[in-house]
Amino acid sequence: MFIASYISQAETTLSNFWRTRPLVEDEPAYIATKASCALHRALRHDDLARFSVRISKIGGKSVGFRITVETDNELAAEVEIFWLAVRGEEHDPVPLPEDTRDWLYKYLD
């Protein structure tokens, strides 16, 4: 797999994880501000991989996600994705909603 494939699969995993959050009235939009991948062991064609989401950072207006990729109980890769909470046409940064912050803390590493 190419590095971009790990990030793409991690984004899909993160999207599925994000759907389980509590609904918040007037929720801000979230934009990705950074994505990176550390490859520990390249996956082979027949490897089954498990992607797991944890929270690496909770800021006032941003959140960092760490998505691990494991195969055969071995860490294959770690993808970090950072999101910024924004509003409006200009994407002005805004604070994370309190209910969202409380939910995120359950998954903080």
Side-chain angles (χ1 to χ4, degrees), residues 18 21-31 60-63 83-88 91-101:
W18 194 248
R21 77 191 181 288
L23 296 178
V24 175
E25 189 174 319
D26 196 30
E27 183 173 39
Y30 296 90
I31 58 172
K61 299 175 183 179
S62 63
V63 58
W83 283 359
L84 179 66
V86 297
R87 285 199 201 287
H91 291 143
D92 296 320
V94 296
L96 293 172
E98 190 172 323
D99 288 345
T100 303
R101 290 173 70 69

Side-chain angles (χ1 to χ4, degrees), residues 70-87:
E70 295 176 291
T71 185
D72 295 328
N73 294 323
E74 182 180 2
L75 184 61
E78 294 175 280
V79 176
E80 285 202 292
I81 299 173
F82 291 89
W83 283 359
L84 179 66
V86 297
R87 285 199 201 287

Side-chain angles (χ1 to χ4, degrees), residues 5-104:
S5 297
Y6 290 90
I7 293 172
S8 177
Q9 290 296 324
E11 287 179 314
T12 299
T13 301
L14 178 53
S15 177
N16 291 332
F17 169 79
W18 194 248
R19 287 186 190 129
T20 67
R21 77 191 181 288
L23 296 178
V24 175
E25 189 174 319
D26 196 30
E27 183 173 39
Y30 296 90
I31 58 172
T33 58
K34 180 181 176 184
S36 63
C37 179
L39 187 60
H40 300 285
R41 177 204 147 326
L43 293 173
R44 292 181 293 275
H45 177 69
D46 59 346
D47 283 338
L48 293 177
R50 182 181 59 184
F51 286 70
S52 302
V53 177
R54 298 296 294 168
I55 307 303
S56 61
K57 174 191 174 283
I58 301 172
K61 299 175 183 179
S62 63
V63 58
F65 302 94
R66 185 171 63 88
I67 299 93
T68 57
V69 183
E70 295 176 291
T71 185
D72 295 328
N73 294 323
E74 182 180 2
L75 184 61
E78 294 175 280
V79 176
E80 285 202 292
I81 299 173
F82 291 89
W83 283 359
L84 179 66
V86 297
R87 285 199 201 287
E89 298 278 329
E90 301 297 317
H91 291 143
D92 296 320
V94 296
L96 293 172
E98 190 172 323
D99 288 345
T100 303
R101 290 173 70 69
D102 292 344
W103 176 75
L104 290 168

